[in-house]
Amino acid sequence: MSRRALRRLRGEQRGQEPLEPGALQFVFRDDDDTEEEGPKRGSGGRRPGAAGKEGVQVNNRFELINIEDLENDSVVNGERSDCALADTVAPENKGEARCADPEPKQDGDVATAAPPEQCNASVKLRKKKKKQKNKKNTMGETSENGMEDIDRILERIEDSSGFSRPGPPPLSSRRHVLYVEHRHLNPDTELKRYFGARAILGEQRPRQRQRVYPKCTWLTNPKSTWPRYSKPGLSMRLLESKKGLSFFAFEHSEEYQQAQHKFLVAVESMEPNNIVVLLQTSPYHVDSLLQLSDACRFQEDQEMARDLIERALYSLECAFHPLFSLTSGTCRLDYRRPENRSFYLALYKQMNFLEKRGCPRTALEYCKLILSLEPDEDPLCMLLLIDHLALRARNYEYLIRLFQEWEAHRNLSQLPNFAFSVPLAYFLLSQQTDLPPNELSSTREKASLLIQQALTMFPGVLMPLLEYCSVRPDSAVSSHRFFGPDAEISQPPALSQLVSLYLGRSHFLWKEPATMSWLEENVRQVLQAVDTGDPTVEACESRRKVLYQRAPRNIHRHVILSEIKEAVAALPPDVTTQSVMGFDPLPPLDTIYSYVRPERLSPVSHGNTVALFFRSLLPNYTMEGERPEEGMAGGLNRNQGLNRLMLAVRDMMANFHFNDLEAPREDNPEGEGDWD
C-alpha cells in the first residue's frame, strides 16, 4: 500500500511530523460508512468544526481499535494510560497488515493508493462476523440460564387477543390428560433409560443402512426382514370436523376388499396355513397379520407374534391421513366401522407385548392413545387398564390427575380398579422423601380416606386380595360379617367380574410390607365404622345392588382380550357361547358397514349327496371339476394320503346310482338289489 493510503488511515497530512501517542483523539460516531463522511470533511482530512482541537481525529475507528477493548480500558482523569495506548497500537498494526500490501510500490514522488473500498469491505466483514459471534454467545448464555417457556408466551398471546386459532389445541404447561408424547411411543426410549443406548442400539445401527423405507413412522421401526412395502389399498379419509374434533375412517380399495373376502374364507376354514398363503400375495393385509399373530402366540412363538403386530401397525400408519394426529387427542375413529377396528386391536396387542417386555411407560402411552380415539364410548374399556399401567410406570401424578378431572362426569370411583388404585397412588406418592413434610402428611391422609371409602364400597375385594398376596388375615377380620365370605358371595355377577379382572392383573402391587401395614390400619378403621352403624355402609350396599346389574358389551370385550382366567371364567353364558374371532372380538351390534361381503356359492351344493357328506367330514375335500378357493391351501395338493383314499371311494361310487335304492319293481318281486 502507498504512503498516501497509510497516512490517510492514520489521519495524517502530508508534511506533518509523526504524532506522539498523547495527541491521538478518538471521536466515535454512529455512521459506519466512512465514504459518507468524505464529502463532509474539510481540507486536510479534518472535520469542519474540529480545526481548533489538538491532535488528529481518526477516520475509521474500527481499523485501529476494538470497541469492546476501548470500553474496557481504564480512564484516569479523562486521559488514557500508556497501557491503553499500547493496546491500541497492536490493532492498528494488525489492520495495516491486513489492508496494506507487504511492499508498497512507489513511482517517484507519486504513490499509487489502494482503493479504500477494499479495506472498508474487509472491516465491515470482520465487524459482521464479530456481531454474529457475540449473538451466538448471548443465545448460548440465555439457553444455559433458562429460556422463558414458549408455551406461556403463546398463552399470553391468546389471552391478549381473546381468541384461539383453529386446529389442535396449543401446547401448554398443563396438557390435555390424554395427550400422547411421540418419544414415549418408542420402547427403545424406555429401554435406553434402563440399560443404556449402546446396549439397545448397538445391533440396530448397521441394519438400518441396508434398506431405505418410504416413510418414517412413530409406532414401529421397519425391519429389513419384512417384505418390501407396497400400498395394499388401505387409506384414511376425513369424515367431518366439529367442536374442535376431527372424525376419520379407514377405507378399503377394491383390491383390499378382495383380499378381505379371501381372509374371511380362510378364517372359516379354521386352517392357519390358508392365512399364510394369503399373506404371500398380500403381505400387509392387517386382519391376516392380527389373526396369524394370535396363532403364533398360542404356539408360544412370541417373537413372531410381536413381529406380525408391528408389521400391521406399520401398514396402518402408512395409510394415515395428513391431518390425523396421534398426540393431539382430538382425532376420533368410530369403532362401529369394521375398517377402524383393526387399528384398535393392533394397538391393544402391541400394548400387551410392551407390558410383558417390561416397558410400562410405553404401554401407558399406547393406552392413552387407544382411549383418545373414542373416549366417550371407550370400546375396548381402557379405563379398566390405565390405572394399572400408571402404577407400574410409577406415574402416580398422572393417575391422580386423571381421577380428579374425570371423576365428575365419568364416576371413576364406581370402578373397583380406580377405587383401589388411586389411594394406592396417593400412598406411594407419600412414600417419596423429596416432598415437603406438610405435603407428605396431607397426601397420606388423602390416601387413607380414599382407601376406607373403597373398602366400604367394595368389601368383597379384601379377602381375595389377601389370598393373592399370600397374607393370612386376622381372625377379627376374617370372621367379621362385613369382610367374611358373604361379602364375596353376595356381590352381583357383574361386580364379581370387575373384581376378578382387577385382582388378576394388579394384585402384586400390594405385596410390599409398607403397603400391607397401611392397608391393615385402614381395615380396622372401616370395621369400627361398621360396628358403630355408619349410614355410609348401608348407602354403599344399596348402591352396589343397583349399579352392577349387568356389564356392558365393551367390558366383555375387554375381558376377552385380557385373557385373565379368573375374569374369563366370570363371563355370562350368552358371551361364552358366541364364536369369538381374534381379529374382531364381540363386534358392536350397531355396526356400520361400508361394503357387504358377497354370498359364497359352493359348487358342492349342486353335486350329489355323497360329495356333500364327505365335504361335511373334510372341508378341504374337492370333487373333480371343482376349483378350490383361489389363494387357499387344500384340494388335491394337501394331505395326499387322505386325498388318495377319497379318490378311491369316489371311483367305487362312480357306477353306483341312487335310483337303485327305490322300492321293488314289479319285474323284481324278490327285491334284488334292495337294502336289507
Side-chain angles (χ1 to χ4, degrees), residues 598-613:
E599 296 183 1
R600 180 189 176 194
L601 297 178
S602 178
V604 76
S605 60
H606 302 287
N608 55 35
T609 308
V610 178
L612 183 61
F613 170 72

Side-chain angles (χ1 to χ4, degrees), residues 265-274 600 604 611-624 626-629 631-640 642-643 646:
V265 173
V267 171
E268 292 176 354
S269 68
M270 305 298 292
E271 178 57 53
N273 292 331
N274 295 334
R600 180 189 176 194
V604 76
L612 183 61
F613 170 72
F614 282 109
R615 174 61 69 91
S616 64
L617 296 178
L618 298 173
N620 291 326
Y621 169 74
T622 55
M623 287 291 295
E624 186 176 345
E626 297 179 5
R627 291 185 58 190
E629 292 292 336
M632 297 280 293
L636 299 179
N637 295 326
R638 182 178 176 273
N639 296 332
Q640 297 294 331
L642 291 176
N643 288 328
M646 304 295 296

